[in-house]
Amino acid sequence: MLLFAFGSSQAQELKTIKLNSPDKDKGFSIMKSLSLRQSTKDTGKWSEKELSLQDLSNLLWAGNGVNREDGKRTAASAMNSQDVDIFLFMKDGIYLYDAANNALKQVVSGDHRSDIGMGGGARPAGAAGGAPGGTAPAGAQGGQPGAQGAAPGGAQGAPPAAGQGAPAGGAAGAGQSFNYPVKVLLVSETGKFRAGTTELKNMWGIFDAGLVAQNMSLFCSGMGLVSHPKAAVDSDGKIKNLLKLTDTQVVVIELDVGYPK
Protein backbone atom coordinates (compact mmCIF):
# COMPACT_ATOMS: atom_id res chain seq x y z
CA MET A 1 0.00 0.00 0.00
CA LEU A 2 2.86 2.36 0.78
CA LEU A 3 4.46 1.64 -2.60
CA PHE A 4 1.14 2.25 -4.32
CA ALA A 5 0.70 5.56 -2.49
CA PHE A 6 4.24 6.61 -3.41
CA GLY A 7 3.65 5.69 -7.06
CA SER A 8 0.39 7.63 -7.10
CA SER A 9 2.06 10.73 -5.66
CA GLN A 10 4.79 10.48 -8.28
CA ALA A 11 2.23 10.24 -11.05
CA GLN A 12 0.39 13.28 -9.69
CA GLU A 13 3.58 15.34 -9.82
CA LEU A 14 3.76 15.02 -13.61
CA LYS A 15 2.34 18.07 -15.31
CA THR A 16 1.14 19.34 -18.66
CA ILE A 17 2.35 22.67 -20.04
CA LYS A 18 0.04 24.42 -22.48
CA LEU A 19 2.26 26.06 -25.08
CA ASN A 20 1.80 29.50 -26.59
CA SER A 21 0.49 29.67 -30.12
CA PRO A 22 3.47 29.53 -32.52
CA ASP A 23 4.54 32.90 -33.89
CA LYS A 24 4.65 32.29 -37.64
CA ASP A 25 5.75 35.81 -38.59
CA LYS A 26 9.19 35.90 -36.91
CA GLY A 27 12.60 35.03 -38.27
CA PHE A 28 14.66 35.39 -41.41
CA SER A 29 13.76 34.13 -44.86
CA ILE A 30 14.44 30.48 -45.65
CA MET A 31 17.42 31.43 -47.84
CA LYS A 32 18.96 33.58 -45.11
CA SER A 33 18.37 30.79 -42.59
CA LEU A 34 20.14 28.31 -44.87
CA SER A 35 23.08 30.69 -45.28
CA LEU A 36 23.45 30.88 -41.48
CA ARG A 37 22.98 27.19 -40.69
CA GLN A 38 25.87 25.55 -38.86
CA SER A 39 26.44 23.18 -35.97
CA THR A 40 27.71 24.79 -32.76
CA LYS A 41 29.80 22.20 -30.95
CA ASP A 42 31.87 24.55 -28.77
CA THR A 43 29.87 24.75 -25.52
CA GLY A 44 31.73 27.94 -24.61
CA LYS A 45 29.50 29.66 -27.17
CA TRP A 46 26.30 28.46 -25.48
CA SER A 47 24.29 30.18 -22.78
CA GLU A 48 22.83 27.98 -20.05
CA LYS A 49 19.69 30.15 -19.99
CA GLU A 50 16.50 28.12 -20.32
CA LEU A 51 14.43 28.58 -23.46
CA SER A 52 11.34 30.75 -23.16
CA LEU A 53 7.94 29.15 -23.51
CA GLN A 54 7.41 31.02 -26.78
CA ASP A 55 10.68 29.80 -28.27
CA LEU A 56 9.88 26.24 -27.18
CA SER A 57 6.48 26.50 -28.83
CA ASN A 58 7.97 27.85 -32.05
CA LEU A 59 10.72 25.20 -32.09
CA LEU A 60 8.31 22.30 -31.62
CA TRP A 61 5.79 23.59 -34.14
CA ALA A 62 8.56 24.11 -36.70
CA GLY A 63 9.82 20.59 -36.06
CA ASN A 64 6.61 18.62 -36.35
CA GLY A 65 3.61 20.79 -35.54
CA VAL A 66 0.15 20.70 -37.07
CA ASN A 67 0.06 23.13 -40.00
CA ARG A 68 -3.20 22.16 -41.74
CA GLU A 69 -6.79 21.69 -40.70
CA ASP A 70 -6.62 18.01 -41.61
CA GLY A 71 -4.00 17.41 -38.91
CA LYS A 72 -0.99 17.03 -41.20
CA ARG A 73 2.39 18.23 -40.02
CA THR A 74 5.21 20.62 -40.87
CA ALA A 75 7.45 17.56 -41.47
CA ALA A 76 6.54 14.91 -44.02
CA SER A 77 6.41 11.26 -42.97
CA ALA A 78 6.19 7.95 -44.81
CA MET A 79 2.54 7.16 -45.56
CA ASN A 80 1.60 10.17 -43.37
CA SER A 81 2.27 7.88 -40.42
CA GLN A 82 3.35 10.81 -38.19
CA ASP A 83 5.65 8.35 -36.47
CA VAL A 84 8.15 10.76 -34.89
CA ASP A 85 7.71 11.59 -31.20
CA ILE A 86 9.58 14.59 -29.78
CA PHE A 87 10.87 14.26 -26.21
CA LEU A 88 12.41 17.27 -24.47
CA PHE A 89 14.99 16.76 -21.72
CA MET A 90 14.89 19.91 -19.59
CA LYS A 91 15.93 21.00 -16.11
CA ASP A 92 12.69 20.00 -14.38
CA GLY A 93 11.88 16.84 -16.31
CA ILE A 94 11.32 15.04 -19.60
CA TYR A 95 8.35 16.10 -21.72
CA LEU A 96 6.57 14.64 -24.73
CA TYR A 97 5.29 17.07 -27.37
CA ASP A 98 1.55 16.75 -27.98
CA ALA A 99 1.21 18.39 -31.40
CA ALA A 100 -2.56 17.98 -31.65
CA ASN A 101 -3.12 19.92 -28.41
CA ASN A 102 -0.05 22.17 -28.66
CA ALA A 103 1.16 21.07 -25.24
CA LEU A 104 4.04 19.43 -23.40
CA LYS A 105 3.23 16.38 -21.28
CA GLN A 106 5.73 15.54 -18.57
CA VAL A 107 6.62 11.85 -18.62
CA VAL A 108 9.52 11.82 -16.13
CA SER A 109 10.32 14.34 -13.40
CA GLY A 110 13.80 15.54 -12.53
CA ASP A 111 16.83 16.64 -14.52
CA HIS A 112 18.03 13.81 -16.79
CA ARG A 113 20.01 15.86 -19.31
CA SER A 114 23.29 14.33 -18.16
CA ASP A 115 22.00 10.77 -18.03
CA ILE A 116 22.25 7.74 -20.28
CA GLY A 117 24.96 8.82 -22.66
CA MET A 118 23.24 12.12 -23.43
CA GLY A 119 25.41 14.13 -21.05
CA GLY A 120 26.45 17.71 -21.65
CA GLY A 121 29.68 18.53 -23.39
CA ALA A 122 32.83 19.63 -21.64
CA ARG A 123 33.91 23.24 -21.94
CA PRO A 124 37.02 23.64 -24.09
CA ALA A 125 40.39 23.63 -22.36
CA GLY A 126 41.23 27.09 -21.11
CA ALA A 127 37.61 28.14 -20.62
CA ALA A 128 38.03 28.59 -16.88
CA GLY A 129 35.30 29.75 -14.56
CA GLY A 130 32.55 29.27 -17.11
CA ALA A 131 34.06 31.78 -19.54
CA PRO A 132 33.27 31.11 -23.17
CA GLY A 133 35.81 29.20 -25.17
CA GLY A 134 35.54 31.64 -28.04
CA THR A 135 33.78 34.80 -29.10
CA ALA A 136 30.01 34.84 -29.51
CA PRO A 137 28.79 34.02 -33.00
CA ALA A 138 28.61 36.98 -35.32
CA GLY A 139 25.20 38.57 -35.24
CA ALA A 140 24.15 36.66 -32.14
CA GLN A 141 23.20 39.81 -30.21
CA GLY A 142 19.79 41.41 -30.17
CA GLY A 143 17.99 38.26 -31.23
CA GLN A 144 19.90 38.01 -34.49
CA PRO A 145 21.04 34.60 -35.70
CA GLY A 146 24.48 33.34 -34.83
CA ALA A 147 26.04 29.89 -35.12
CA GLN A 148 23.23 27.50 -35.78
CA GLY A 149 22.14 23.87 -35.92
CA ALA A 150 23.12 21.30 -38.52
CA ALA A 151 21.25 18.89 -40.70
CA PRO A 152 21.32 15.27 -39.53
CA GLY A 153 23.65 13.06 -41.46
CA GLY A 154 26.25 15.82 -41.83
CA ALA A 155 29.96 15.16 -41.79
CA GLN A 156 30.31 14.68 -38.06
CA GLY A 157 32.09 11.38 -37.93
CA ALA A 158 31.30 8.70 -35.38
CA PRO A 159 29.00 9.74 -32.53
CA PRO A 160 30.74 10.46 -29.22
CA ALA A 161 31.07 7.69 -26.69
CA ALA A 162 28.35 7.47 -24.08
CA GLY A 163 28.53 10.24 -21.51
CA GLN A 164 31.10 12.33 -23.39
CA GLY A 165 29.65 14.60 -26.03
CA ALA A 166 32.96 16.46 -26.17
CA PRO A 167 32.98 19.57 -28.36
CA ALA A 168 35.42 20.00 -31.19
CA GLY A 169 38.69 21.36 -29.96
CA GLY A 170 38.25 20.24 -26.36
CA ALA A 171 38.61 16.75 -24.96
CA ALA A 172 35.94 15.42 -22.64
CA GLY A 173 36.84 16.20 -19.06
CA ALA A 174 39.15 19.06 -20.12
CA GLY A 175 36.86 21.65 -18.55
CA GLN A 176 33.69 22.34 -16.67
CA SER A 177 30.69 20.12 -17.38
CA PHE A 178 27.93 21.81 -19.39
CA ASN A 179 24.23 21.01 -19.57
CA TYR A 180 22.51 22.09 -22.76
CA PRO A 181 19.30 24.01 -21.90
CA VAL A 182 17.17 21.65 -23.99
CA LYS A 183 18.06 18.24 -25.34
CA VAL A 184 15.57 17.14 -27.98
CA LEU A 185 15.25 13.40 -28.52
CA LEU A 186 13.51 12.15 -31.67
CA VAL A 187 11.96 8.69 -31.45
CA SER A 188 10.22 6.91 -34.33
CA GLU A 189 7.22 4.72 -33.53
CA THR A 190 7.76 2.25 -36.37
CA GLY A 191 4.60 0.37 -35.41
CA LYS A 192 2.64 3.18 -37.07
CA PHE A 193 3.82 2.12 -40.53
CA ARG A 194 1.05 0.14 -42.19
CA ALA A 195 3.35 -2.06 -44.31
CA GLY A 196 6.96 -3.07 -44.80
CA THR A 197 9.58 -5.27 -43.19
CA THR A 198 11.21 -4.35 -39.89
CA GLU A 199 14.28 -3.18 -41.78
CA LEU A 200 12.23 -0.91 -44.04
CA LYS A 201 10.24 0.49 -41.13
CA ASN A 202 13.44 1.35 -39.27
CA MET A 203 14.83 3.06 -42.39
CA TRP A 204 11.62 5.07 -42.86
CA GLY A 205 11.71 6.06 -39.19
CA ILE A 206 15.28 7.33 -39.49
CA PHE A 207 14.36 9.29 -42.63
CA ASP A 208 11.29 10.84 -40.98
CA ALA A 209 13.26 11.84 -37.87
CA GLY A 210 15.84 13.50 -40.13
CA LEU A 211 13.13 15.68 -41.64
CA VAL A 212 11.99 16.81 -38.19
CA ALA A 213 15.58 17.52 -37.10
CA GLN A 214 16.24 19.57 -40.20
CA ASN A 215 13.09 21.63 -39.63
CA MET A 216 14.30 22.38 -36.11
CA SER A 217 17.83 23.19 -37.27
CA LEU A 218 16.57 25.69 -39.83
CA PHE A 219 14.28 27.22 -37.23
CA CYS A 220 17.30 27.73 -34.98
CA SER A 221 19.35 29.36 -37.74
CA GLY A 222 16.48 31.70 -38.61
CA MET A 223 15.75 32.69 -35.01
CA GLY A 224 19.18 33.25 -33.50
CA LEU A 225 19.41 29.99 -31.54
CA VAL A 226 22.31 27.54 -31.50
CA SER A 227 21.95 23.80 -32.02
CA HIS A 228 23.96 20.61 -32.41
CA PRO A 229 22.58 17.33 -33.84
CA LYS A 230 23.93 13.93 -32.82
CA ALA A 231 23.10 10.32 -33.54
CA ALA A 232 21.25 9.04 -30.46
CA VAL A 233 22.54 5.58 -29.60
CA ASP A 234 20.75 3.50 -26.96
CA SER A 235 22.84 0.34 -27.08
CA ASP A 236 22.43 -0.33 -23.35
CA GLY A 237 18.67 0.36 -23.31
CA LYS A 238 18.84 3.10 -20.67
CA ILE A 239 16.78 5.56 -22.72
CA LYS A 240 14.21 2.88 -23.47
CA ASN A 241 13.89 2.06 -19.77
CA LEU A 242 13.73 5.68 -18.67
CA LEU A 243 11.03 6.62 -21.18
CA LYS A 244 9.31 3.21 -21.04
CA LEU A 245 9.56 2.82 -24.81
CA THR A 246 8.09 -0.17 -26.61
CA ASP A 247 10.05 -2.51 -28.89
CA THR A 248 8.77 -0.65 -31.96
CA GLN A 249 9.94 2.77 -30.75
CA VAL A 250 13.39 3.51 -32.16
CA VAL A 251 15.66 6.20 -30.70
CA VAL A 252 17.14 8.12 -33.64
CA ILE A 253 18.42 11.68 -33.15
CA GLU A 254 19.45 14.00 -30.32
CA LEU A 255 19.39 17.74 -31.02
CA ASP A 256 20.81 20.14 -28.44
CA VAL A 257 19.18 23.59 -28.53
CA GLY A 258 19.85 26.85 -26.71
CA TYR A 259 20.74 30.54 -26.91
CA PRO A 260 24.17 31.82 -27.98
CA LYS A 261 26.34 33.34 -25.25
Side-chain angles (χ1 to χ4, degrees), residues 42-48 121-133 167 170-171 173-179 261:
D42 181 355
T43 55
K45 296 180 179 180
W46 290 66
S47 167
E48 296 188 53
R123 293 196 187 280
Q176 178 181 348
S177 178
F178 178 80
N179 268 327
K261 180 166 285 188

Side-chain angles (χ1 to χ4, degrees), residues 22 90 121 124 177 252:
M90 299 193 295
S177 178
V252 184

Side-chain angles (χ1 to χ4, degrees), residues 139-161:
Q141 303 301 318
Q144 297 303 310
Q148 317 307 350
Q156 296 193 38

Side-chain angles (χ1 to χ4, degrees), residues 8-25:
S8 298
S9 66
Q10 288 290 93
Q12 290 171 1
E13 290 176 6
L14 300 179
K15 58 187 177 181
T16 296
I17 300 174
K18 181 64 178 176
L19 294 169
N20 300 344
S21 297
D23 186 344
K24 303 172 186 176
D25 297 318

